[in-house]
Amino acid sequence: MFDDAANTEIVVVRSHTLTVDDPAFAAKVGTIAERLRALGADDVAGVQTYLEAPPETAAMLVSSDRRTTIVPVTLASPLLGAQPHLAQVYPVVAAEDGVGGFQVVMTGTGTWEYEAHDVAASDLERGELIGLPMALVILVVVFGAVVAAL
């Protein structure tokens, strides 16, 4: 199901009150998995949860306090082509975060790059909004002083 050459991101589902043995926890994880699989094979090649994994694998997907589980999500492309797929997956995860008392986040190399791109674009816009007017003021002051000196 999971290809080593593909990009696998990790969805982390956590509850401060429920354990993975609680039906509400299982329902939350099942809903997230269904929504991710519903994106289709063009974006998501595979999703694995502790619910359908063999016991030895399921144990590795659940934390020792049983309040957190990870859901490996294999995207339909390797890391270099992951951004369009992450653009589909990321909103699904973000929409589930905070719902019903669950914390739902995603991590992985592709996710980091996806978020870094957004932060860089935002910082660049902010820098341009501040830097460009400052540069114009400096140019006017400098060239105004040069013209006055001549």
Side-chain angles (χ1 to χ4, degrees):
M1 174 192 245
F2 296 99
D3 182 358
D4 290 336
N7 180 27
T8 299
E9 301 296 309
I10 303 296
V11 175
V12 180
V13 182
R14 175 157 179 77
S15 173
H16 293 287
T17 57
L18 304 175
T19 67
V20 296
D21 306 309
D22 190 291
F25 197 109
K28 179 67 165 186
V29 171
T31 298
I32 293 168
E34 286 175 25
R35 291 189 63 203
L36 291 170
R37 288 179 182 127
L39 293 173
D42 288 343
D43 289 312
V44 176
V47 176
Q48 185 168 21
T49 71
Y50 73 96
L51 298 168
E52 66 261 351
E56 60 278 359
T57 303
M60 292 187 296
L61 299 175
V62 175
S63 67
S64 60
D65 69 358
R66 303 191 63 76
R67 296 189 187 284
T68 305
T69 185
I70 61 172
V71 179
V73 178
T74 301
L75 301 179
S77 71
L79 184 57
L80 292 177
Q83 295 306 315
H85 307 295
L86 281 168
Q88 301 300 314
V89 172
Y90 198 82
V92 170
V93 173
E96 293 292 336
D97 187 31
V99 177
F102 288 91
Q103 181 181 16
V104 182
V105 295
M106 189 165 72
T107 188
T109 304
T111 300
W112 184 87
E113 288 180 4
Y114 183 81
E115 289 181 349
H117 179 268
D118 287 350
V119 169
S122 172
D123 287 352
L124 183 60
E125 283 180 28
R126 191 173 332 143
E128 288 174 350
L129 288 174
I130 295 169
L132 203 54
M134 292 296 285
L136 290 174
V137 167
I138 290 169
L139 286 173
V140 167
V141 169
V142 169
F143 285 123
V146 170
V147 170
L150 291 174

